[in-house]
């Protein structure tokens, strides 16, 4: 089957699944990129000729213009597309099966120097409730290293005022767990 018919069927499936407009647009954009590769590899007329080596060349090609997070997104879309073709019986071998997901580049988080911290804390008006509250929040975040989601998930039960500890939970969509080994706490 040719690429255009596969694309049409895949997009019909996406629409039938009631995917959001932004998801549909991202699939369209991705499929345009895949079309360029298949055209270059002379595989537009027979999607069954696509193999793992070709998909690896595709990732080499996109790595020149895309960051690692975007490449991972393209990998997911590619996997969804070829899994669909395989499940529908359009292709007999799934070429993405033997292609490893690209690794995300490690990001170095820049920290504030003491001058920046002092300037930040001096910006609050300490004579108003809002200013003092904001100063306290920023001071807590800076001195403990709490992440925003961790701070927002704090409850009174997490505070141990007697011993100066905060029991910190790391929150994800599917639940919370304590950060670090054992009972992770931050000093203030």
């Amino acid at each position: 089957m040719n690429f255009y018919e596969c694309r049409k069927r895949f997009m019909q499936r996406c629409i039938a699944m009631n995917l959001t407009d932004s998801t549909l647009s991202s699939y369209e954009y991705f499929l345009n990129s895949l079309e360029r590769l298949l055209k270059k590899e002379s595989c537009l007329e027979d999607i069954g000729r696509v193999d793992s080596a070709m998909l690896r060349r595709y990732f080499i090609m996109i790595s020149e213009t895309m960051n690692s997070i975007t490449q991972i997104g393209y990998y997911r879309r590619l996997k969804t597309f070829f899994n669909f073709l395989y499940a529908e019986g359009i292709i007999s071998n799934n070429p993405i099966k033997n292609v490893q997901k690209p690794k995300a580049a490690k990001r170095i988080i820049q920290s504030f120097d003491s001058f920046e911290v002092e300037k930040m804390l001096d910006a609050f008006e300490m004579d108003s409730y809002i200013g003092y509250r904001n100063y306290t929040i920023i001071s807590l975040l800076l001195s403990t290293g709490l992440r925003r989601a961790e701070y927002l998930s704090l409850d009174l039960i997490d505070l141990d005022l007697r011993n100066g500890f905060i029991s910190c939970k790391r929150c994800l969509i599917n639940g919370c767990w304590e950060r670090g080994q054992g009972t992770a706490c931050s000093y203030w």
Side-chain angles (χ1 to χ4, degrees), residues 131-178:
Y132 193 72
R133 179 204 63 190
N134 293 343
Y135 173 86
T136 305
I137 291 170
I138 296 300
S139 294
L140 176 70
L141 295 174
L142 290 171
S143 63
T144 62
L146 283 172
R147 297 174 180 102
R148 180 182 53 143
E150 294 167 341
Y151 167 74
L152 293 173
S153 71
L154 288 177
D155 291 319
L156 283 176
I157 198 164
D158 298 325
L159 302 177
D160 180 355
L161 298 175
R162 181 173 293 137
N163 296 312
F165 284 99
I166 298 173
S167 179
C168 171
K169 292 179 178 57
R170 182 172 165 189
C171 290
L172 290 179
I173 294 168
N174 61 347
C176 295
W177 64 88
E178 298 228 300

Side-chain angles (χ1 to χ4, degrees), residues 111-122 142:
S111 59
F112 298 110
D113 62 28
S114 58
F115 175 75
E116 292 170 320
V117 170
E118 187 176 326
K119 192 173 178 181
M120 201 181 321
L121 294 175
D122 286 345
L142 290 171

